Amino acid sequence: MSVAGEQGDVSSITPERLKERSRELVRGWKAENIWNIDETGCFWKGLPEVSLNKKGSRCSGGKQSKQRNTLAFFVNAAGGKEDPIVIGQSERPRCFKTLKDVSRPYKCHYFANMKAWMNSDLMTDILTSLNRRLKLNQRKIILFMDNAPCHPGGLHDKLSNINIVVKVN
């Protein structure tokens, strides 16, 4: 089984320096206004390449399925969370057919695109909507996000109530 991830993006900053920098960044912010967002992919039809079975036997299933969903989560330092974001391929998934609002199934925000991945346009829409909501509530947050390519860099000036900090892993 191969392991994929962001291991090539490891920062050269020492853990002590990273702790110090984090403390500097959040100084003056209440815990409920210190947020983080991260995404993960879920290959929901994927079979494992290894399993606990008899030596020499392989998992059946043939070609590995690429059908996936992407999940994104906003959490804050006080333990609070926002409704999850789910990105799938179908504009109107069959499992949502009885719902009145397909964009808000089961207390989630649902979006669709061809590969079921987060992209910069989608992230821009999500953050712009969040900024509007924060503005209505007269609330400002600091948002930590990683340096994934789907996280647009030019939003810093456009979001009045979100202070974006890009984490270097």
Side-chain angles (χ1 to χ4, degrees):
M1 176 165 33
S2 63
V3 178
E6 300 169 349
Q7 68 269 18
D9 293 339
V10 175
S11 172
S12 61
I13 300 174
T14 63
E16 293 80 26
R17 175 67 186 122
L18 193 57
K19 278 188 208 177
E20 181 184 316
R21 182 172 179 260
S22 297
R23 281 190 205 108
E24 290 168 10
L25 288 169
V26 300
R27 189 170 289 130
W29 290 91
K30 292 182 180 177
E32 58 270 6
N33 294 326
I34 302 169
W35 288 27
N36 184 60
I37 183 174
D38 209 355
E39 307 91 20
T40 186
C42 174
F43 290 94
W44 56 274
K45 275 193 174 181
L47 292 172
E49 291 183 16
V50 295
S51 68
L52 299 173
N53 60 3
K54 283 198 269 180
K55 190 174 183 173
S57 64
R58 296 200 32 90
C59 294
S60 60
K63 186 178 175 185
Q64 202 57 288
S65 175
K66 300 288 185 192
Q67 290 183 302
R68 67 178 279 151
N69 288 330
T70 297
L71 308 167
F73 301 95
F74 283 104
V75 295
N76 69 34
K81 60 187 183 301
E82 293 291 303
D83 292 339
I85 296 164
V86 179
I87 306 166
Q89 288 181 317
S90 300
E91 287 289 332
R92 298 190 57 81
R94 276 185 248 159
C95 60
F96 299 164
K97 69 181 174 187
T98 60
L99 300 176
K100 291 179 183 170
D101 185 5
V102 176
S103 68
R104 289 283 294 146
Y106 310 109
K107 296 187 179 185
C108 293
H109 298 280
Y110 181 78
F111 298 92
N113 67 36
M114 289 293 289
K115 293 191 176 190
W117 288 350
M118 179 66 79
N119 60 41
S120 57
D121 292 338
L122 190 52
M123 181 61 85
T124 300
D125 292 346
I126 290 166
L127 292 178
T128 303
S129 174
L130 175 61
N131 190 65
R132 245 183 276 124
R133 202 173 74 224
L134 290 168
K135 208 178 224 182
L136 285 173
N137 295 328
Q138 297 178 345
R139 183 175 174 193
K140 291 191 178 205
I141 65 166
I142 183 169
L143 176 65
F144 289 87
M145 57 177 28
D146 59 22
N147 58 351
C150 62
H151 297 166
L155 283 178
H156 299 286
D157 301 332
K158 296 177 183 158
L159 302 172
S160 59
N161 291 49
I162 302 174
N163 181 11
I164 297 175
V165 177
V166 177
K167 301 182 293 188
V168 179
N169 298 328

